[in-house]
Amino acid sequence: MENSSLSSVKNVILVLSGKGGVGKSTLSVQLSLGLVHAGKKVGILDTDICGPSIPRMLNLENASVFQCDQGWVPVFATEDEKLCVMSIAFMLNGKDDPVIWRGPKKTAMIKQFITDVHWGDLDYLIIDTPPGTSDEHLSVVQNSKGKVKGAILVTTPQAVAVSDVRRELTFCRKTSIPIIGVVENMCGFVCPHCSECSLVFSQGGGEALAKQEGLDFLARIPLDPDLAKCCEDGKKMINVFPDSKTLNSINQLVDKMLDNPN
Amino acid sequence: MSGDREIPEDAPAHCPGTESEDAGKASACAGCPNQNICAAAQPKLPDPDLSKIQESLANVKHKVLVLSGKGGVGKSTVTSHLAYALSEDVDCHVGVLDIDICGPSIPQIMGLQDEQVHSSGSGWSPIYVDDNLCVMSPGFLLASPKDAVIWRGPKKNGLIKQFLRDVDWGSLDYLVVDTPPGTSDEHLSIVKFLSEAGTSGAVIVTTPQEIALLDVRKEINFCKKVNIPIIGIIENMSMFVCPKCKKTSIIFPPVENGVSGVAQSMEIPFLGSIPLDPLIGKCCDNGNSYLQLHPDAAGTVAYKNISQKIKDYCISLNESKD
């Protein structure tokens, strides 16, 4: 069977956005950590071949992939083996090495990631994608056909980002991927000096998009330097800043994923 | 350049690539069903379109690529504002080419969402923002801003070729090329298509945090592998000045020496820092020029300094040629 390695994965969720740098990888990691915290077994597949960021965010930069009888063994990010990760970064010799590949090679790599990795029993597989609507996206969709529960669209509030996300929405509709909802990231910055909330990238773009297109608006996550710092250092926000407001917004999203089993 | 080899998806291991001189003759080819086709093919001649591109860009003096490994660091914003800054001199003709096929942002940033491309006898006409500033983007070819371009690599490459060969760029002092994130089809294609016409150099844009720098180092190594000179690196969104208390905060925390440290360690020039000013984002959303609306802002000064450095680089490049 084509996607036999996904056969014991209960839910496959895509994290998509037409635009780059809106926080797809950050959100994939935070969502996964939240699901693990709720007792689930989660896998993350990083399909951004030319710019993988997930390993850094989970402090797995020096890990590498092993082979077992059933295929490649993903890298475990927690001691209790509740969170496993697969990314091309695990296969590069140096972290500065560029992967200068055209479409067909990326397509083949993604196919291997989906069919040849021994994911085992997972409650959730979160697939992080690069920006755009091209080779990587089509390959993910083709190779995980019928298994995808839905896609989360991530955007920042400004109009330029929302217009790219609109294109991603058209992509989902054309490839018949159900859309779970929209997350608005980086929506306000609270000045640490005077507590004034500035709208660095304006506000409400994601919510307006959700309303206009009849989609669920899942969460609004502020622009929080603490969160960026956690991603930089590969730390888990829940350990470092357990009282953060940002964590509340993320948990809201996690709860929605948990409530919505099928 | 291993990335540029055309290897079919279902090729045997160690396939030398269908365009290689060894195609059909290497030991890996034994038993491949396409061995005869590969072996019989003519040795690959250089793409005849390359010289056509050179002809069509004969009057374009400097071609500058704007690159970044990471998305959302402000490539399109920087591209458009460098173009505005360069075109402030009325005698300096500037073109902007957007090759982000799947996510073109330039039309919105420059206030050209409803524009369509016209064909004339001499090719597609770019859209003029000002007498000396013209723009071409895949966004102009879409019927509605919602339309998605769901294309794999080869179709994207075809469109990029058309943008270089079939657009009537006229005579330009600068052609600034905005690229999508990554080191893949679009990047290899633009470098290849401009190989005969000649690229002046690349400007690399990044934000200060390590996650972005990780991708930037990859992009710098890409430039080195494909022999594109690097004009320098720009730090975008470097700090945030609170509009209320005027104190600065750092939103994307840098590590060690941040961008200037990377520039130093990889031996490339550091062109400058652009602050994270909410007004820049607002101008881009509304399609206005930040430089025109806020002539005294710190961001404007930064953009002008950087564009001057790029000008100096291009002029010195010309002098050394002569």
Side-chain angles (χ1 to χ4, degrees):
Chain A
M1 213 178 102
E2 183 74 0
N3 50 15
S4 59
S5 76
L6 294 184
S7 57
S8 46
V9 176
K10 286 189 196 132
N11 297 296
V12 177
I13 296 175
L14 304 184
V15 178
L16 295 174
S17 161
K19 180 127 181 61
V22 297
K24 285 179 295 303
S25 302
T26 305
L27 192 89
S28 301
V29 166
Q30 296 305 327
L31 174 62
S32 305
L33 290 172
L35 289 167
V36 168
H37 194 71
K40 301 291 178 190
K41 225 177 154 234
V42 185
I44 306 179
L45 172 58
D46 184 1
T47 63
D48 191 344
I49 307 286
C50 294
S53 324
I54 298 272
R56 167 98 198 177
M57 291 185 182
L58 286 165
N59 209 359
L60 298 172
E61 273 191 300
N62 299 316
S64 47
V65 167
F66 297 98
Q67 188 98 33
C68 74
D69 292 346
Q70 290 99 331
W72 287 337
V73 185
V75 172
F76 289 101
T78 51
E79 274 164 21
D80 52 3
E81 306 201 341
K82 288 272 196 193
L83 178 62
C84 59
V85 183
M86 191 59 169
S87 165
I88 191 158
F90 300 140
M91 300 172 184
L92 300 178
N93 291 327
K95 62 176 182 171
D96 299 345
D97 288 357
V99 179
I100 310 175
W101 286 0
R102 289 189 184 267
K105 278 183 100 171
K106 297 196 281 192
T107 304
M109 186 85 241
I110 291 170
K111 188 170 178 203
Q112 275 196 295
F113 276 159
I114 294 179
T115 55
D116 298 354
V117 172
H118 177 54
W119 289 108
D121 293 319
L122 291 181
D123 294 305
Y124 292 88
L125 177 66
I126 313 286
I127 302 186
D128 182 28
T129 60
T133 49
S134 190
D135 289 290
E136 293 90 339
H137 311 80
L138 287 166
S139 309
V140 166
V141 170
Q142 275 167 6
N143 287 300
S144 56
K145 225 171 192 146
K147 294 293 291 182
V148 177
K149 184 183 151 191
I152 298 177
L153 296 176
V154 189
T155 185
T156 47
Q158 76 272 39
V160 173
V162 171
S163 72
D164 279 350
V165 174
R166 237 179 251 279
R167 296 192 185 101
E168 203 70 32
L169 195 70
T170 310
F171 171 83
C172 290
R173 291 191 171 145
K174 282 200 174 161
T175 52
S176 18
I177 301 224
I179 295 158
I180 301 175
V182 179
V183 175
E184 188 174 292
N185 194 13
M186 308 193 196
C187 68
F189 175 69
V190 180
C191 174
H193 305 290
C194 65
S195 305
E196 165 89 356
C197 183
S198 303
L199 305 170
V200 180
F201 301 110
S202 87
Q203 193 191 25
E207 195 169 12
L209 173 76
K211 213 175 250 172
Q212 217 174 15
E213 301 285 344
L215 302 169
D216 276 342
F217 184 67
L218 298 171
R220 168 174 288 146
I221 300 170
L223 183 57
D224 183 347
D226 290 344
L227 177 58
K229 190 95 186 49
C230 287
C231 289
E232 292 279 289
D233 301 342
K235 286 187 181 138
K236 302 182 178 69
M237 195 157 189
I238 209 156
N239 300 340
V240 193
F241 302 104
D243 306 322
S244 153
K245 270 189 191 161
T246 309
L247 208 53
N248 282 342
S249 318
I250 293 166
N251 284 335
Q252 215 182 326
L253 177 67
V254 172
D255 289 342
K256 281 191 182 155
M257 291 304 112
L258 291 169
D259 288 347
N260 184 3
N262 286 303
Chain B
M1 198 166 67
S2 68
D4 205 19
R5 288 192 313 188
E6 301 288 337
I7 296 180
E9 206 172 319
D10 48 359
H14 309 297
C15 167
T18 52
E19 295 186 12
S20 149
E21 279 178 24
D22 294 331
K25 299 179 197 112
S27 56
C29 298
C32 174
N34 288 328
Q35 185 184 7
N36 287 337
I37 303 174
C38 280
Q42 291 285 320
K44 225 19 192 192
L45 295 169
D47 188 342
D49 284 325
L50 292 189
S51 50
K52 279 191 198 153
I53 289 171
Q54 188 187 11
E55 240 169 70
S56 119
L57 297 181
N59 294 323
V60 178
K61 277 193 207 141
H62 306 292
K63 295 139 206 118
V64 176
L65 307 182
V66 178
L67 297 173
S68 155
K70 181 129 181 54
V73 296
K75 281 177 297 303
S76 303
T77 306
V78 168
T79 305
S80 59
H81 284 87
L82 285 179
Y84 285 134
L86 290 167
S87 67
E88 265 188 6
D89 174 2
V90 282
D91 294 326
C92 183
H93 291 264
V94 181
V96 174
L97 172 61
D98 182 6
I99 60 165
D100 190 347
I101 312 285
C102 294
S105 316
I106 290 281
Q108 171 140 27
I109 290 177
M110 301 185 82
L112 305 169
Q113 290 104 311
D114 303 321
E115 298 287 347
Q116 295 273 317
V117 168
H118 297 278
S119 319
S120 67
S122 43
W124 286 344
S125 320
I127 309 290
Y128 281 82
V129 182
D130 218 328
D131 286 342
N132 59 344
L133 177 59
C134 62
V135 181
M136 191 65 191
S137 164
F140 301 145
L141 305 174
L142 300 175
S144 111
K146 260 167 122 170
D147 275 7
V149 179
I150 310 174
W151 286 359
R152 289 189 182 267
K155 277 184 98 172
K156 297 195 278 193
N157 302 336
L159 185 61
I160 294 172
K161 191 187 263 183
Q162 276 194 291
F163 277 161
L164 294 169
R165 190 189 56 197
D166 301 340
V167 171
D168 177 20
W169 287 108
S171 61
L172 292 178
D173 293 290
Y174 294 92
L175 179 66
V176 189
V177 183
D178 184 25
T179 62
T183 48
S184 191
D185 285 291
E186 294 88 337
H187 311 82
L188 285 167
S189 300
I190 189 89
V191 168
K192 187 173 147 202
F193 295 152
L194 287 178
S195 58
E196 284 199 16
T199 310
S200 311
V203 174
I204 294 179
V205 185
T206 182
T207 47
Q209 78 274 38
E210 177 59 25
I211 292 268
L213 294 180
L214 212 61
D215 290 347
V216 161
R217 290 194 201 98
K218 287 181 203 278
E219 201 73 32
I220 293 171
N221 287 331
F222 168 83
C223 289
K224 288 183 177 161
K225 277 200 176 170
V226 298
N227 287 324
I228 295 287
I230 298 172
I231 302 177
I233 185 164
I234 298 175
E235 180 181 47
N236 194 16
M237 310 191 196
S238 64
M239 57 185 83
F240 176 73
V241 182
C242 174
K244 195 175 166 204
C245 67
K246 306 284 174 210
K247 285 190 180 151
T248 53
S249 332
I250 291 189
I251 294 190
F252 298 109
V255 276
E256 290 157 35
N257 293 319
V259 181
S260 57
V262 171
Q264 216 166 32
S265 70
M266 299 198 82
E267 293 175 356
I268 50 176
F270 178 64
L271 296 177
S273 298
I274 299 163
L276 180 56
D277 183 344
L279 293 172
I280 297 182
K282 201 162 181 197
C283 286
C284 288
D285 275 0
N286 297 335
N288 295 325
S289 162
Y290 172 75
L291 304 186
Q292 259 173 26
L293 293 191
H294 306 280
D296 303 319
T300 303
V301 177
Y303 272 120
K304 285 190 175 161
N305 281 337
I306 292 170
S307 82
Q308 189 56 46
K309 283 185 189 167
I310 293 172
K311 259 187 182 171
D312 292 345
Y313 171 90
C314 288
I315 290 166
S316 72
L317 198 69
N318 256 26
E319 277 167 1
S320 65
K321 249 188 228 163
D322 292 339

